[in-house]
Amino acid sequence: MRIAVIGAGVMGSGIAQVLAQAGNEVHCTDLENEVIDKAIAGVADGRYGFERAVSRGKIERADADAALARLTFSTNFEEAVSDAELIVECVPERLALKVKVFRDLDRLAPDDAILASNSSGFPLAALAAATDRPGNVIIWHWASPPVVMKFAEIVVTEETHTDVIERVTALASACGKNPVVVKDHSMAWGYVANRVYAAMIKEASQVVSEGVASQEDVNRLMVDCFGWPVGPFAMIKGAQTGWKD
Ligand SMILES: NC(=O)c1ccc[n+]([C@@H]2O[C@H](COP(=O)([O-])OP(=O)(O)OC[C@H]3O[C@@H](n4cnc5c(N)ncnc54)[C@H](O)[C@@H]3O)[C@@H](O)[C@H]2O)c1
């Protein structure tokens, strides 16, 4: 499949890497040359990049080279989307920005292209309404770091075309993820995973603000009690930095 990824930041660069490794031709685009340079370096040689994956025996050198050859980074939005079959939008979590990007995508991408968003929680209906192809718009919510996490929360409305859902879930599976299809809900930010996560963070912050325990203590308790990989405050930091520290 020919795929464009919009935004080469924490999520977009990793998502582009996973999609290329799964055999797709991927063009990842950003506004900033500096971001592009960082993304190229991260994919090639970063903590979750191909070089480390090869040295740890997670991927053969020839497969890594082939995946890298399928991956293009540029600042040319129009060229990236002009012949894409699927576009995965990964710009910052601001609704007005995402709506603008979806308007541009609707204008510039092929009429039958699927427009997916990696939004963390904005209603699918709001993005679909920005286009003349609401049935081809879908949320494909990834977790950080995309190379590692199996998470694939696929959000749909009654309008989403069945073949669009099938193609996106099949692609998520081909990327080694575990797709779960859930319903759009315009009254609450966060779909399923982030709604539950936000409730947990709220309570963890409340415990700290009451002086009952420090952030470090809450982290330790949650890891030891529930077997989480890290505690709630370490999760916030990891999500912001892409777990690169
Ligand atoms: N960071 C996480 O843990 C995480 C997890 C799941 C989902 N998300 C979601 O993924 C999305 C991206 O988050 P991120 O952490 O990668 O943000 P980020 O700030 O690291 O990257 C976003 C990139 O988009 C670029 N951009 C902005 N407008 C653009 C445009 N018109 N065309 C091309 N590029 C453009 C920016 O220059 C920036 O480099 C957000 O919606 C966020 O909520 C983030």
Side-chain angles (χ1 to χ4, degrees):
M1 209 188 250
R2 283 184 311 281
I3 303 176
V5 177
I6 310 301
V10 168
M11 295 303 288
S13 57
I15 289 170
Q17 179 183 336
V18 174
L19 291 167
Q21 194 174 333
N24 302 285
E25 293 291 332
V26 182
H27 191 152
C28 181
T29 174
D30 203 285
L31 303 171
E32 317 271 345
N33 278 315
E34 267 178 29
V35 178
I36 295 287
D37 291 345
K38 208 169 145 196
I40 292 170
V43 164
D45 209 11
R47 178 166 181 195
Y48 303 105
F50 285 122
E51 198 54 48
R52 289 217 198 166
V54 170
S55 68
R56 294 173 65 206
K58 302 252 181 213
I59 182 173
E60 296 292 329
R61 164 78 57 198
D63 293 336
D65 290 346
L68 264 177
R70 284 190 291 270
L71 190 47
T72 305
F73 285 98
S74 84
T75 52
N76 196 333
F77 182 100
E78 213 162 319
E79 187 183 303
V81 306
S82 63
D83 67 345
E85 296 162 85
L86 165 70
I87 292 135
V88 184
E89 168 274 311
C90 297
V91 304
E93 189 76 0
R94 296 201 300 274
L95 186 56
L97 172 62
K98 288 191 187 283
V99 165
K100 183 192 174 301
V101 168
F102 271 75
R103 283 207 185 105
D104 291 344
L105 291 175
D106 196 33
R107 191 165 46 83
L108 297 168
D111 288 345
D112 57 354
I114 299 172
L115 310 183
S117 174
N118 178 44
S119 171
S120 294
F122 290 131
L124 167 57
L127 301 179
T131 75
D132 288 331
R133 61 179 96 188
N136 273 19
V137 182
I138 194 164
I139 302 289
W140 180 358
H141 181 205
W142 297 62
S144 176
V147 175
V148 176
M149 302 300 278
K150 301 275 183 198
F151 177 82
E153 188 174 39
I154 314 290
V155 184
V156 303
T157 67
E158 305 247 306
E159 269 190 295
T160 318
H161 295 150
T162 307
D163 70 300
V164 168
I165 302 170
E166 285 170 0
R167 287 178 73 193
V168 171
T169 50
L171 182 58
S173 297
C175 290
K177 310 305 179 194
N178 299 326
V180 175
V181 178
V182 304
K183 289 182 190 154
D184 194 36
H185 190 298
S186 58
M187 302 312 283
W189 181 89
Y191 316 125
V192 174
N194 275 337
R195 274 178 70 183
V196 175
Y197 172 76
M200 180 276 295
I201 292 290
K202 189 171 169 225
E203 195 61 19
S205 302
Q206 181 68 24
V207 163
V208 172
S209 73
E210 285 167 3
V212 173
S214 67
Q215 289 192 357
E216 293 70 29
D217 289 342
V218 176
N219 282 341
R220 179 81 268 151
L221 289 166
M222 299 309 281
V223 167
D224 290 345
C225 186
F226 296 109
W228 291 0
V230 295
F233 298 102
M235 271 191 202
I236 294 173
K237 186 167 174 239
Q240 285 165 349
T241 60
W243 302 96
K244 287 181 182 124
D245 289 349

